[in-house]
C-alpha cells in the first residue's frame, strides 16, 4: 500500500463511476478500507490528492508557441479536456485551489503568469484567474449534469430546441428564434465563444506599461476559421 497506489485506484474508479466509496476503493485494492486511512485522514484528503493527480498532464505551451493570450487560451482548452476525461473533478477543483498540491500549484502559476504577462495589474490578475477557473469548472460541471440526465448532448439540445420552438413567436420572439441556433451549436463551440469573450475582457484590462500586445481571441478565431 502507498499513497500513489491508492490515488491511482481512486482515480480509475472516479473516472468510471464519477465517484467512489471508501469500501469500494478497498475492494478495488484488495485491502480493508481502514488501511486507506493510514495514508489519508479522510475521503476529502484523498479527493484533494485525486484532483491534483488529474491535473498531472496539464502543461502550458512554451513561449515560442504563441502570444500570451494564445497560450492562455490553449491552456484553458486543455483544462476543459482534462475535466471531461475525469468526470466529477470539476466541482472538487474549485475547493482544491487553496490545497498545496504540486499540479494545482503548477496550473495556478501557469495561468496567473500568462495573465500577468498580458500586462494586467496584480489585483486584477488574481481576480481574472479566479474567474477563468470558475468559468471552466462551472461549464464542465454543467455539461456533466446534462449528460447524466439526457445521455447525449444532442438529446438535450433536441429537447431544449423543441421546447423553445413550441413557444408563441409573438410572446417570446427572441426565445423562439433561439431554437434553431441551439440545435446548430455544440458544447465545444459555446465554451470557446464564452472563453474568448472572457479572455478578451481580461486582456482589455491590461494597464501595466510594457504589457504584451494581444490580438482579440474572437478575431483570431474568426480569421483561423476563414
Amino acid at each position: 500500500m502507498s499513497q500513489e497506489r491508492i490515488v491511482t485506484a481512486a482515480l480509475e474508479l472516479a473516472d468510471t463511476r464519477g465517484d467512489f466509496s471508501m469500501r469500494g476503493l478497498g475492494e478495488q485494492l484488495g485491502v480493508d478500507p481502514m488501511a486507506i486511512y493510514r495514508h489519508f485522514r479522510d475521503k476529502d484528503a484523498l479527493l484533494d490528492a485525486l484532483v491534483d493527480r488529474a491535473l498531472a498532464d496539464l502543461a502550458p505551451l512554451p513561449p515560442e508557441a504563441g502570444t500570451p493570450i494564445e497560450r492562455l487560451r490553449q491552456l484553458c482548452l486543455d483544462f476543459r479536456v482534462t475535466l471531461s476525461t475525469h468526470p466529477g473533478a470539476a466541482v472538487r477543483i474549485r475547493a482544491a485551489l487553496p490545497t498545496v498540491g504540486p499540479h494545482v500549484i503548477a496550473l495556478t502559476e501557469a495561468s496567473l503568469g500568462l495573465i500577468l504577462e498580458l500586462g494586467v495589474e496584480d489585483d486584477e490578475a488574481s481576480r481574472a484567474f479566479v474567474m477563468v477557473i470558475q468559468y471552466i469548472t462551472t461549464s464542465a460541471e454543467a455539461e456533466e449534469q446534462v449528460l447524466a440526465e439526457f445521455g447525449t448532448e444532442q438529446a438535450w439540445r433536441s429537447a431544449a430546441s423543441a421546447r423553445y420552438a413550441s413557444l408563441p413567436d409573438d410572446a417570446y420572439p427572441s426565445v423562439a428564434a433561439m431554437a434553431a441556433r441551439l440545435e446548430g451549436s455544440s458544447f465545444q463551440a459555446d465554451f470557446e465563444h464564452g472563453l474568448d469573450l472572457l479572455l478578451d475582457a481580461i486582456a482589455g484590462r491590461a494597464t501595466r506599461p510594457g504589457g504584451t500586445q494581444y490580438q482579440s481571441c474572437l478575431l483570431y478565431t474568426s480569421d483561423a476559421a476563414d
Side-chain angles (χ1 to χ4, degrees), residues 13-212:
L13 285 177
D15 288 348
T16 303
R17 307 175 187 176
D19 196 4
F20 62 91
S21 66
M22 298 298 270
R23 180 182 297 276
L25 179 57
E27 293 175 354
Q28 175 86 351
L29 292 165
V31 300
D32 187 306
M34 295 306 297
I36 299 171
Y37 292 104
R38 288 198 287 269
H39 298 272
F40 295 94
R41 67 179 183 277
D42 53 29
K43 186 176 179 180
D44 282 341
L46 174 54
L47 286 171
D48 286 342
L50 182 151
V51 165
D52 195 68
R53 170 70 67 79
L55 301 181
D57 295 329
L58 191 61
L61 295 173
E64 61 271 18
T67 64
I69 199 70
E70 290 169 348
R71 287 182 280 136
L72 179 58
R73 184 178 191 274
Q74 188 58 55
L75 181 60
C76 292
L77 293 175
D78 292 343
F79 187 19
R80 178 178 180 271
V81 171
T82 296
L83 294 181
S84 67
T85 304
H86 302 291
V91 68
R92 294 290 310 180
I93 283 178
R94 286 193 297 275
L97 283 177
T99 303
V100 182
H103 301 113
V104 172
I105 292 176
L107 172 63
T108 303
E109 175 64 27
S111 304
L112 192 55
L114 287 167
I115 293 171
L116 289 168
E117 196 173 340
L118 290 170
V120 179
E121 294 291 343
D122 293 350
D123 287 345
E124 287 276 355
S126 62
R127 293 188 179 99
F129 164 74
V130 171
M131 289 301 299
V132 168
I133 296 299
Q134 288 180 340
Y135 173 70
I136 299 171
T137 54
T138 301
S139 296
E141 189 177 354
E143 291 174 19
E144 288 176 15
Q145 292 174 347
V146 166
L147 296 177
E149 182 173 351
F150 290 88
T152 66
E153 176 186 352
Q154 188 55 49
W156 171 77
R157 288 188 176 278
S158 296
S161 180
R163 172 57 177 155
Y164 291 150
S166 70
L167 298 172
D169 292 351
D170 55 342
Y172 307 101
S174 300
V175 175
M178 192 169 66
R181 299 190 185 98
L182 188 64
E183 284 272 24
S185 190
S186 66
F187 285 154
Q188 179 71 24
D190 292 344
F191 175 83
E192 290 192 35
H193 184 75
L195 175 64
D196 290 341
L197 289 174
L198 179 57
L199 294 183
D200 279 351
I202 291 171
R205 299 296 292 267
T207 58
R208 179 179 293 136
T212 305

